[in-house]
């Protein structure tokens, strides 16, 4: 049976900002879609830092609410990492829209709180099992389609209903449905195993990063650098690296539609 007809787990974070090495987790969801229906697990964290108003306006969580109702960020990050690695141990692929943002941010949170990394939790050298990123796949298989690549826009392209964008559970479920819809439309994607598709996405993302970096430099940003790593970006080396700065919403070369708050991220996060 093709991978898109098998159980899949959607993953999404809503955060304090747009830079994965700086932003903190505010809400998270892991949604398993299988033969018995949909099972959700969600978290609300107290990030320990103020949530910028721009971020609150997107996901609806204020600093006051996070402080009053959220659980310690350290506990939340640890539980999310355990849940994800548990999925990979069971052989279930994780679907994340713009995975390089969410998985890198989670990895930065784990290190920030002195917790074991994804790799140290005993699954694979790179720390991840098969990851399916509809953002990366759609951009590769329908490269010349005009328009935005936000989750909302891609849902519309594939006929997927998304009623509550930027609510982590809704976005995680939509990511799974978009992944299945892409496989339904593009038979070559459906024919790959999850492991083969994972490897192809590493190549597709690196090629896109190279092309986008070249575009930015051609447009006058001579120092533009677009990280080609997928699904995890490298964290600054420790202990030589300075402490990670406090989060803020600031533009950057993380690619995306200009409508996305995260540089380069069309959905998820803030």
């Amino acid at each position: 049976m093709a991978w898109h007809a098998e159980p899949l787990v959607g993953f999404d974070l809503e955060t304090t900002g747009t830079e994965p090495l700086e932003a903190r987790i505010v809400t998270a969801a892991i949604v398993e879609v299988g033969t018995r229906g949909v099972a959700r697990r969600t978290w609300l964290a107290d990030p320990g830092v103020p949530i910028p108003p721009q971020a609150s306006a997107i996901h609806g969580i204020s600093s006051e609410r996070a402080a009053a109702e959220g659980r310690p960020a350290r506990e939340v990050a640890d539980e999310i990492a355990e849940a994800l690695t548990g999925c990979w141990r069971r052989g279930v692929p994780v679907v994340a829209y713009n995975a390089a943002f969410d998985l890198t941010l989670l990895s930065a949170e784990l290190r920030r709180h002195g917790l074991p990394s994804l790799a140290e939790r005993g699954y694979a050298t790179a720390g991840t099992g098969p990851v399916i990123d509809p953002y990366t796949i759609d951009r590769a298989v329908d490269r010349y389609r005009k328009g935005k690549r936000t989750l909302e826009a891609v849902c519309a392209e594939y006929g997927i209903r998304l009623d509550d964008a930027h609510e982590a559970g809704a976005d995680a479920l939509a990511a799974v449905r978009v992944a299945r819809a892409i496989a339904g439309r593009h038979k070559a994607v459906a024919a790959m195993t999850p492991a083969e598709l994972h490897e192809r996405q590493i190549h597709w993302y690196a090629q896109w990063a190279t092309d986008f970096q070249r575009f930015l430099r051609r447009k006058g940003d001579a120092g533009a650098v677009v990280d080609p790593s997928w699904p995890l970006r490298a964290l600054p080396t420790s202990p030589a690296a300075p402490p990670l700065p406090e989060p803020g919403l600031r533009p950057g070369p993380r690619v995306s539609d200009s409508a996305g708050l995260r540089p380069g991220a069309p959905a998820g996060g803030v």
Side-chain angles (χ1 to χ4, degrees), residues 125-238:
T125 302
T128 68
V131 175
I132 295 170
D133 182 353
Y135 178 48
T136 295
I137 300 169
D138 176 64
R139 195 168 51 194
V141 298
D142 200 353
R143 181 176 179 180
Y144 299 106
R145 189 179 77 243
K146 295 182 178 180
K148 296 179 179 180
R149 301 276 179 165
T150 63
L151 179 58
E152 297 95 319
V154 175
C155 280
E157 169 66 23
Y158 287 93
I160 304 301
R161 184 171 177 174
L162 176 57
D163 291 327
D164 196 7
H166 298 291
E167 190 279 317
D171 283 2
L173 178 58
V176 171
R177 289 174 171 167
V178 169
R180 287 178 163 174
I182 293 173
R185 182 181 296 184
H186 299 279
K187 302 307 181 185
V189 173
M192 297 183 199
T193 67
E196 290 169 341
L197 184 55
H198 184 103
E199 291 300 315
R200 291 302 300 163
Q201 287 170 99
I202 293 172
H203 170 77
W204 288 334
Y205 193 93
Q207 183 61 59
W208 164 82
T210 299
D211 292 344
F212 190 71
Q213 179 175 291
R214 186 181 299 118
F215 168 81
L216 292 175
R217 293 184 177 186
R218 190 168 63 246
K219 289 295 185 178
D221 187 354
V225 175
V226 180
D227 192 325
S229 305
W230 181 97
L232 275 172
R233 300 179 186 180
L235 302 183
T237 56
S238 180

Side-chain angles (χ1 to χ4, degrees), residues 13-26 49-56 58-59 98 100-102 104-105 112 166 205 233 245-270:
L13 299 177
E14 300 298 322
T15 68
T16 59
T18 66
E19 169 51 56
L21 297 180
E22 299 175 10
R24 313 296 174 87
I25 297 169
V26 178
V49 299
I51 301 173
Q54 303 98 310
S56 295
I58 296 297
H59 53 57
N98 203 3
F101 178 85
D102 296 89
T104 301
L105 192 152
R112 183 177 292 120
H166 298 291
Y205 193 93
R233 300 179 186 180
E246 294 301 305
L249 291 176
R250 54 190 178 87
R254 188 173 174 250
V255 181
S256 103
D257 306 296
S258 58
L261 277 178
R262 290 181 280 150
V270 294

Side-chain angles (χ1 to χ4, degrees), residues 51-148:
I51 301 173
Q54 303 98 310
S56 295
I58 296 297
H59 53 57
I61 308 297
S62 66
S63 295
E64 294 75 17
R65 181 182 171 191
E69 302 177 20
R71 294 174 53 212
R74 188 179 193 277
E75 293 180 8
V76 169
D78 192 39
E79 289 182 9
I80 294 169
E82 280 299 298
L84 289 178
T85 52
C87 294
W88 288 318
R89 289 188 193 102
R90 292 188 289 118
V92 181
V94 171
V95 181
Y97 199 86
N98 203 3
F101 178 85
D102 296 89
L103 290 174
T104 301
L105 192 152
L106 174 61
S107 295
E109 284 274 51
L110 294 173
R111 194 175 74 173
R112 183 177 292 120
H113 294 290
L115 294 166
S117 68
L118 293 172
E120 289 167 342
R121 289 167 193 266
Y123 190 91
T125 302
T128 68
V131 175
I132 295 170
D133 182 353
Y135 178 48
T136 295
I137 300 169
D138 176 64
R139 195 168 51 194
V141 298
D142 200 353
R143 181 176 179 180
Y144 299 106
R145 189 179 77 243
K146 295 182 178 180
K148 296 179 179 180

